[in-house]
Amino acid sequence: GESVGLHLPTLSVQEGDNSIINCAYSNSASDYFIWYKQESGKGPQFIIDIRSNMDKRQGQRVTVLLNKTVKHLSLQIAATQPGDSAVYFCASTGDYKLSFGAGTTVTVRA
Amino acid sequence: KAGVTQTPRYLIKTRGQQVTLSCSPISGHRSVSWYQQTPGQGLQFLFEYFSETQRNKGNFPGRFSGRQFSNSRSEMNVSTLELGDSALYLCASSSGGNQPQHFGDGTRLSIL
């Protein structure tokens, strides 16, 4: 079945630096990917998505890169701020459901 | 536009009881999905409904069931509660297809 995983469970980053969060997926048929941010006590919040016909998509301070050859996607956060501290999940779609990775906890150091 | 609303936010039950959780999707969204989130298993898919039809179901026992109403609101029910059912239950809605799912803040269910 589908499995989606993140490379590192935790990431500590200095405020103002760029953050990179990685994710690998197993189902080569996955054609839509989403990054979510989850803060304590809240549900996952949509950050950015990308379809399989693209390899890069940019949002406000965030960029998602998709490498279908190695089934890998990453989330880059520019100029990381304290409010970026949260758990980040990648998810892929298939059969009307999302398959989530385990999550990376990002901690921003002042 | 109002987001996904889940009620109640917190619930405490004892083993053997049953529980019903409610979800109101974003207006206009016809797809509603349910997920269970635990520290050990992460986010796991329970089921998805579109226009009152269940289109997919995850690997959970039959004690977990759901339904969707004509106004797209959804409920999930868990019968014969077990200690391991303690979790955050999340509902997400989307307009369908390859569109992002938007989540509510969940119902925290604790089983004593």
Side-chain angles (χ1 to χ4, degrees), chain A residues 5-7 11 17-24 33-38 45-50 55-67 72-78 80 84 86-91 104 106:
Chain A
L6 288 166
H7 294 300
L11 177 66
D17 287 352
N18 296 334
S19 304
I20 299 176
I21 307 167
N22 295 303
C23 180
F33 304 88
I34 308 174
W35 281 99
Y36 287 94
K37 169 187 179 183
Q38 187 174 24
Q45 176 188 357
F46 171 83
I47 302 174
I48 192 168
D49 58 359
I50 188 168
D55 52 22
K56 180 179 180 179
R57 190 162 188 230
Q58 290 184 290
Q60 188 175 9
R61 283 201 306 117
V62 295
T63 300
V64 55
L65 300 177
L66 175 63
N67 185 328
H72 177 273
L73 69 160
S74 66
L75 178 71
Q76 301 177 2
I77 305 173
T80 310
D84 295 327
V87 181
Y88 291 81
F89 295 94
C90 64
T104 290
V106 173

Side-chain angles (χ1 to χ4, degrees), chain A residues 31-32 34 36 38 41-46 49 51 89 93-102, chain B residues 9-10 33 35 37 42-45 48 55-56 88 90 97-106:
Chain A
D31 60 358
Y32 180 53
I34 308 174
Y36 287 94
Q38 187 174 24
K42 295 187 176 182
Q45 176 188 357
F46 171 83
D49 58 359
R51 287 173 171 73
F89 295 94
T93 63
D95 293 331
Y96 310 116
K97 69 176 184 180
L98 289 174
S99 297
F100 284 86
Chain B
R9 286 298 313 276
Y10 303 93
S33 300
Y35 297 85
Q37 186 174 29
L43 278 150
Q44 291 190 294
F45 171 76
E48 189 263 359
R55 296 195 295 186
N56 197 3
L88 179 66
L90 292 159
N98 274 349
Q99 296 298 321
Q101 294 186 19
H102 296 275
F103 284 81
D105 286 334

